Amino acid sequence: MHHRVVNNDNGRRTVVARLEMGEEAVATLTALAHELQLGASSIMGVGGFERLTVGFFDFANRTFHKNEVDEQVELLSMLGNVAETADGQPSLHIHVVVGRIDASTRGGHLVEGIVRPTMEVVIEESPGHLKRTHDDQTGLTLLRP
């Protein structure tokens, strides 16, 4: 992965990153968030995957379903955020929509994905950090604005 801070204005950085073929997107972006100590940021990106796993939270059953997409797809939309966990570590929450060769789409929570051929990501940092805590009602770890 290559990255560069393209703007740094009053605690609000803009980072542009390019992930390389074969990198695992979630692990690579998490490592970048640790390296840059990102505590409150939005993430967006485009590119492609060799294969990926997306998740779906079934609220009624309180279960998280994983769906494998075992084919090359275009990353049509990647939106998400970075917030701190209770112990101060950056935590990513990313959703994706991917396009298949027949123009149909798949999407969900990005669990993992192997980049192919590339991925371009823009991260916008906020000056104040956000926290993520466990919510008893949903069973999820949610942002605490």
Side-chain angles (χ1 to χ4, degrees), residues 27-104:
T28 301
L29 293 172
T30 299
L32 180 61
H34 280 274
E35 176 185 334
L36 299 177
Q37 299 177 341
L38 299 173
S41 304
S42 59
I43 297 175
M44 60 186 130
V46 295
F49 289 109
E50 175 181 319
R51 66 181 184 281
L52 71 151
T53 303
V54 292
F56 179 86
F57 181 68
D58 180 350
F59 181 74
N61 295 312
R62 300 283 203 277
T63 55
F64 189 75
H65 300 274
K66 291 182 180 178
N67 297 293
E68 306 291 327
V69 181
D70 194 17
E71 60 186 293
Q72 183 179 349
V73 292
E74 288 282 327
L75 175 57
L76 304 175
S77 176
M78 178 174 78
L79 296 173
N81 58 53
V82 180
E84 291 180 349
T85 60
D87 63 355
Q89 298 302 308
S91 171
L92 276 64
H93 184 195
I94 298 174
H95 286 211
V96 297
V97 177
V98 297
R100 301 173 67 216
I101 196 168
D102 66 358
S104 64

Side-chain angles (χ1 to χ4, degrees), residues 6-23:
V6 296
N7 187 36
N8 190 349
D9 185 28
N10 294 321
R12 185 180 179 108
R13 292 177 288 181
T14 301
V15 179
V16 175
R18 185 186 76 228
L19 282 67
E20 303 294 337
M21 188 159 31
E23 288 187 286

Side-chain angles (χ1 to χ4, degrees), residues 129-132 142-145:
H129 286 203
L130 295 173
K131 298 286 185 189
R132 205 176 286 287
L142 302 177
L143 281 180
R144 189 184 69 201

